[in-house]
Amino acid sequence: MTVLVAYASALGSTREIAQHVASRMAVALGEVECRSVEEVESVAGYEAVVTGSAIHNQAWLPPALAFLTQYGPELAGRPVWAFSVGMSDGLPKLFRERGAALQQQRLEETQFQEVQLRGHAAFSGVYQATQLSAPLRALFRIAGGRFGDLRDWAAVDAWTDQITAELAKPASSASSDTDPA
Ligand SMILES: Cc1cc2nc3c(=O)[nH]c(=O)nc-3n(C[C@H](O)[C@H](O)[C@H](O)COP(=O)(O)O)c2cc1C
C-alpha cells in the first residue's frame, strides 16, 4: 500500500510530527511517502492520505487549505485523515481542555468541507516565548500559560497506530471505524 503523509509547517514541529507518523506507518504498511503539501504534484498513486497543518490564527496554513481544495474532490472514496498542530497544551490549565475542544470543532466546521475525513486529531506542537511580543508573553505567563515543546509523542503514536490498523485490515472490513470529522 502506498500512503501519502502531506504536511504544512511554518517552523518545523508539524513537519517532524508528519515524518514521525510516516516512519511509524511504514513499519507496518510498507511504502509511506512524507512530503510538504507544496511538493505534492498528484495524489493519483496513493491509496490513503494523512494530511496535517500547523494552526495559525485558528486556521490551517494557506498551502494546506489549498491542498484540500485542490485534491479533496479527487480523494473522495479514499481513506483520508487530518491532524492539526497548535499550542492547546500550553494554554492556562483552566482553559486548556475547553480551548482545545472549541478549536478542533471550529477547524472541523470551517475547513474540511472539501474532503470526507475518516478522522481528525489535534496535537500540540512547539510554542516558543519568542513567538509572542514581550507584553503578550508576560500576560500569557501570568495567566498560567506555558511555552516549549508541547508534543505528546505517545498521543501521536496512538493515533498513528489506530490509522495503521485500519489500513492494514482486508479491504472488505476496512470501512470507517474511526469517527468521521
Ligand atoms: C502566528 C502564529 C499564530 C498561531 N496561532 C495559533 C492558534 O490560533 N491556535 C493554536 O493552537 N496555536 C497557534 N499557534 C501555535 C502554533 O500552531 C504552534 O507553535 C505549532 O507547533 C506550529 O507548528 P510549526 O512548528 O509546524 O509551524 C500560532 C503560532 C504562530 C507563530
Side-chain angles (χ1 to χ4, degrees):
M1 165 167 312
T2 308
V3 179
L4 171 67
V5 179
Y7 63 86
S9 178
L11 296 173
S13 63
T14 306
R15 183 187 66 240
E16 287 170 2
I17 291 174
Q19 288 167 339
H20 183 87
V21 167
S23 308
R24 196 169 171 92
M25 289 179 88
V27 174
L29 299 175
E31 210 177 330
V32 181
E33 291 176 18
C34 185
R35 299 185 189 285
S36 89
V37 288
E38 283 141 319
E39 284 173 330
V40 176
E41 288 175 351
S42 163
V43 293
Y46 302 107
E47 288 153 79
V49 173
V50 178
T51 181
S53 175
I55 306 167
H56 276 192
N57 306 319
Q58 302 277 308
W60 271 23
L61 297 179
L65 292 174
F67 175 88
L68 292 182
T69 305
Q70 183 173 356
Y71 296 115
E74 190 181 336
L75 289 170
R78 273 182 268 173
V80 181
W81 286 266
F83 66 93
S84 302
V85 181
M87 43 71 75
S88 302
D89 286 343
L91 290 175
K93 218 170 180 178
L94 200 61
F95 312 114
R96 204 172 292 162
E97 222 171 284
R98 182 95 183 111
L102 279 175
Q103 179 165 263
Q104 188 167 5
Q105 183 186 353
R106 187 174 189 279
L107 291 169
E108 287 170 6
E109 285 172 357
T110 57
Q111 43 180 55
F112 299 136
Q113 272 69 30
E114 315 285 349
V115 55
Q116 179 67 48
L117 295 176
R118 288 271 186 104
H120 170 222
F123 300 122
S124 286
V126 177
Y127 196 49
Q128 302 293 10
T130 49
Q131 289 173 229
L132 285 182
S133 63
L136 280 179
R137 196 182 310 157
L139 211 62
F140 187 72
R141 279 204 173 108
I142 288 166
R146 62 197 179 111
F147 296 103
D149 188 341
L150 307 165
R151 287 173 291 187
D152 178 348
W153 293 108
V156 173
D157 284 350
W159 187 71
T160 306
D161 291 350
Q162 191 186 345
I163 293 174
T164 304
E166 249 196 79
L167 290 173
K169 280 181 196 168
S172 57
S173 59
S175 59
S176 175
D177 278 358
T178 47
D179 291 338

